[in-house]
Structure formats: C-alpha cells, structure tokens
Amino acid sequence: MIGTRLKKVADYVKGTTLADIGSDHAYLPIYLMQQHQIEQAVAGEIVEGPFQAAVRNVRSEGLSHKIQVRMGSGLEVIENGEVDCITICGMGGPLISDILLAGRSKLESKPRLILQSNIHSEAVRHALQSLGYQIVAEEIIKEKKHIYEIIVAEEGVMALTEAEMKFGPLLLREQSETFNEKWQKDYQHLTAILETIKDKPLQQEKKEEIERQLKLYREAIHFAD
C-alpha cells in the first residue's frame, strides 16, 4: 500500500497517537496501525476527494474506531496535546512551513514532527528553528527518479548556519551519494542560468545572488568528480 518514501517516514514515528496532515488516502496511518506502531490516529485532509477516499479506506480496513478522518486545513484538525507525533508528507517545503507557523498554537505540547518535503526544505528548517524545535534526524532518499528529504524534529534550540539551513545540518555532515546527486544537479542548473544572464545589465542583482549561492555550494559540498 505504501512505498519506500512513506515507509521511511513510518520508521521515525514514536508515541501512541499520530496526526497525519494532508493524509491523502490515509495510507500512512493505516499502515502504522497495522504494524501496531500506534494506537490512535487523526488523518487530516482539506480536499473533498482525498478526504472521502481516506474515510472509505479506513472503513474498509476496519479501523474507523482507531483512525479519525477529519476535514480541515493544516493543524486545525487537532487540539494542542492531542497527539504525540505529527507527520506532514508530500508537499513543498514552503507549504509545510506555512502549516507549522499557522498552527503554532497546536505545537505547544511539542509533539515529534516528521516532515517530508518534495522541494525547498530550507523553509521547513527556518520554521522549526523559530518554533523551538531542533532537528534530530534527516534522511534523503530517491524513489522513482525523485529525491525527497525527511526531517525529524523534537523540542529544542538550534541556530543553523546558512549552509545548514539550505542543505540540512545532518545531511551536510553525511553528504551521501543521493545528497551529492541532488545538489550537483542544482549547482549545474544555477550555473546554466548564470551563463544566460551574465551579460545582461538588468539582471545584475539576480546574477550576484546566483554567484553567492554557487559560492555557498562550493564551500559546503564536496562534489564527486
């Protein structure tokens, strides 16, 4: 029912109660319940189609008494202190960041957060730092040609550098093959953009920003030959 990406997310789930925000078809909470990793779950979904699909899936698995499917935006589907762990998966980093910041009142009990962003994970790290969270685990995985980052955070204080914000403090330390592949491709993309605008006076500000970013890449990452 679930692929490599969500199984990796599931590995980081702790506690007995979970909220899966943007749960889509409720595959993750169903899987976790079947693995006896959790005892109760809330599957939150804002879109009518996936919400109805989640309701049907939970019912067909005989888990309606264990998994509550709730319709609503972001963290508004839960109360502060209701869950031990929150998962938000399959979205862009800026959207995950917006969900966390808009729902900060629901995070006062500091549940564990497991956040899987498809792009721009830097925004997630900025939100976590401002919300009094620290990153305790990070993973970068490839599934069907797509590269995903998983960020796990718990209550704590952190002060990330610019490079750590962008690349991930733990991922940067490890610099795996998948990490290298992702950022080398990004570096080449930025280099190509720079080549097209370098002689255009009106693009001077953008040119300087790209040059600054490329310098950050070169200083932080040990690119493979």
Side-chain angles (χ1 to χ4, degrees):
M1 182 183 283
I2 67 172
T4 305
R5 176 178 60 93
L6 287 181
K7 279 185 179 174
K8 285 285 186 185
V9 169
D11 287 343
Y12 290 106
V13 171
K14 285 185 177 180
T16 60
T17 54
L18 169 80
D20 185 36
I21 305 302
S23 194
D24 198 7
H25 289 56
Y27 292 144
L28 181 60
I30 289 171
Y31 172 80
L32 288 164
M33 203 66 71
Q34 291 172 339
Q35 298 300 307
H36 307 292
Q37 274 185 253
I38 56 173
E39 296 173 9
Q40 295 286 332
V42 173
E45 182 54 60
I46 193 172
V47 181
E48 180 70 26
F51 169 79
Q52 294 296 344
V55 171
R56 286 194 301 273
N57 289 341
V58 169
R59 189 184 301 132
S60 69
E61 297 294 335
L63 291 169
S64 297
H65 62 302
K66 295 278 191 178
I67 301 173
Q68 296 182 46
V69 184
R70 300 177 187 170
M71 194 165 189
S73 175
L75 301 183
E76 72 177 24
V77 299
I78 58 169
E79 297 302 322
N80 180 45
E82 185 178 5
V83 299
D84 307 315
C85 189
I86 295 173
T87 50
I88 309 177
C89 305
M91 303 179 198
L95 179 54
I96 293 175
S97 171
D98 289 347
I99 288 171
L100 294 174
L101 295 171
R104 63 171 68 231
S105 65
K106 308 298 178 73
L107 299 173
E108 289 172 5
S109 61
K110 289 295 186 287
R112 168 175 268 227
L113 301 176
I114 307 164
L115 312 165
Q116 181 269 301
S117 54
N118 297 342
I119 54 171
H120 304 312
S121 299
E122 183 177 358
V124 177
R125 297 185 186 99
H126 275 288
L128 290 172
Q129 183 164 293
S130 72
L131 289 166
Y133 273 86
Q134 63 178 342
I135 295 169
V136 297
E138 287 182 305
E139 195 155 346
I140 186 165
I141 61 167
K142 189 173 184 180
E143 183 181 56
K144 296 178 182 175
K145 296 185 179 179
H146 294 290
I147 293 177
Y148 304 102
E149 290 180 36
I150 299 168
I151 300 171
V152 186
E154 294 179 347
E155 182 176 11
V157 177
M158 64 179 180
L160 300 183
T161 65
E162 184 183 9
E164 288 171 335
M165 278 289 186
K166 186 167 188 70
F167 306 116
L170 306 182
L171 296 176
L172 191 59
R173 198 178 306 162
E174 183 186 350
Q175 301 216 12
S176 69
E177 187 178 333
T178 304
F179 174 91
N180 204 285
E181 179 187 343
K182 172 185 169 70
W183 293 111
Q184 194 156 33
K185 185 177 178 182
D186 207 61
Y187 183 89
Q188 290 165 352
H189 176 66
L190 283 175
T191 303
I193 294 173
L194 183 62
E195 190 63 30
T196 64
I197 67 169
K198 65 179 183 181
D199 298 323
K200 297 179 180 176
L202 294 176
Q203 298 281 1
Q204 184 64 24
E205 196 174 318
K206 185 175 181 181
K207 173 178 172 285
E208 289 174 1
E209 175 56 26
I210 290 176
E211 287 174 339
R212 195 183 68 79
Q213 287 290 322
L214 291 173
K215 183 171 181 284
L216 183 69
Y217 282 48
R218 289 192 296 271
E219 289 173 350
I221 300 175
H222 316 303
F223 286 129
D225 294 329

